[in-house]
């Protein structure tokens, strides 16, 4: 816990006990199969933030013939930090956000074990954000301008090119 009081879950989402793997089958997903279970896997502050709440509210407002199209499951911070991934809730779509203290490797293990149909915010690529060299290289390769910069690699002997 971060020391601040826990915010109550928004009325649109719910917390559930861990379930066995969601049966995804191999065929196309239909609303007749029930609502799509969307898992929110992030530290408490980010999972309950205003932008996330707005996204969840919008997501859970979708209906088909009066039936909800999405059901939201929050991965509690205690679960994320202290329980093995086989005890994490099952979901068909995973929204995971890295922030300080978030166990990225554990989240990757969850995806490997539970195999959600959709994973938003690619967990392997989130690690790229830790290295400015990779980010700048990706931006430049995509034609996005980057500010003038210098990179010091502490593992190598560095020289300045003028």
């Amino acid at each position: 816990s971060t020391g601040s009081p826990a915010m109550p879950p928004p009325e649109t989402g719910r917390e559930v006990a861990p379930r066995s793997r969601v049966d995804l089958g191999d065929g196309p997903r239909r609303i007749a199969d029930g609502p799509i279970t969307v898992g929110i896997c992030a530290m408490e502050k980010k999972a309950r933030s205003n932008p996330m709440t707005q996204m969840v509210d919008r997501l859970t407002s979708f209906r088909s013939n009066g039936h909800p199209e999405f059901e939201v499951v929050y991965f509690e911070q205690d679960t994320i930090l202290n329980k093995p991934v086989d005890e994490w809730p099952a979901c068909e779509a995973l929204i995971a956000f890295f922030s300080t203290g978030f166990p990225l490797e554990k989240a990757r293990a969850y995806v490997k074990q539970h195999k959600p149909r959709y994973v938003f915010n690619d967990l392997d690529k989130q690690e790229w954000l830790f290295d400015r060299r990779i980010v700048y290289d990706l931006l430049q390769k995509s034609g996005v301008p980057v500010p003038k910069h210098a990179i010091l690699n502490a593992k190598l002997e560095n020289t300045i090119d003028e």
Side-chain angles (χ1 to χ4, degrees), residues 82-124:
N82 300 314
K83 294 189 178 175
V85 295
D86 59 329
E87 292 182 25
W88 290 15
C91 63
E92 297 168 81
L94 179 70
I95 300 174
F97 287 99
F98 176 84
S99 61
T100 303
F102 182 79
L104 190 55
E105 284 301 320
K106 208 170 177 185
R108 285 184 186 137
Y110 171 86
V111 169
K112 188 175 182 178
Q113 180 175 331
H114 288 270
K115 298 180 181 15
R117 188 176 284 214
Y118 306 102
V119 179
F120 300 92
N121 296 335
D122 186 313
L123 296 175
D124 292 325

Side-chain angles (χ1 to χ4, degrees), residues 12 20 33 37-38 65 105 120 124-125 136 147 152 160:
T12 55
S20 59
D33 299 328
T37 305
V38 178
N65 296 323
E105 284 301 320
F120 300 92
D124 292 325
K125 292 178 182 169
Y136 278 13
L152 172 69
I160 297 176

Side-chain angles (χ1 to χ4, degrees), residues 1-7 9 15-16 40-49 73-85 87-89 97-103 106-107:
S1 177
T2 60
S4 60
M7 295 173 55
E15 297 160 8
V16 297
I40 308 292
C41 183
M43 302 303 277
E44 185 77 18
K45 184 175 180 181
K46 194 165 277 209
R48 307 291 187 190
S49 69
V73 176
Y74 287 91
F75 291 38
E76 290 303 307
Q77 185 165 304
D78 181 63
T79 298
I80 294 169
L81 294 175
N82 300 314
K83 294 189 178 175
V85 295
E87 292 182 25
W88 290 15
F97 287 99
F98 176 84
S99 61
T100 303
F102 182 79
K106 208 170 177 185

Side-chain angles (χ1 to χ4, degrees), residues 38-76:
V38 178
I40 308 292
C41 183
M43 302 303 277
E44 185 77 18
K45 184 175 180 181
K46 194 165 277 209
R48 307 291 187 190
S49 69
N50 188 42
M52 181 67 80
T53 300
Q54 289 179 23
M55 183 178 67
V56 168
D57 287 347
R58 197 167 298 148
L59 190 64
T60 57
S61 71
F62 291 104
R63 301 221 174 273
S64 177
N65 296 323
H67 299 286
E69 292 188 34
F70 300 97
E71 167 188 51
V72 174
V73 176
Y74 287 91
F75 291 38
E76 290 303 307

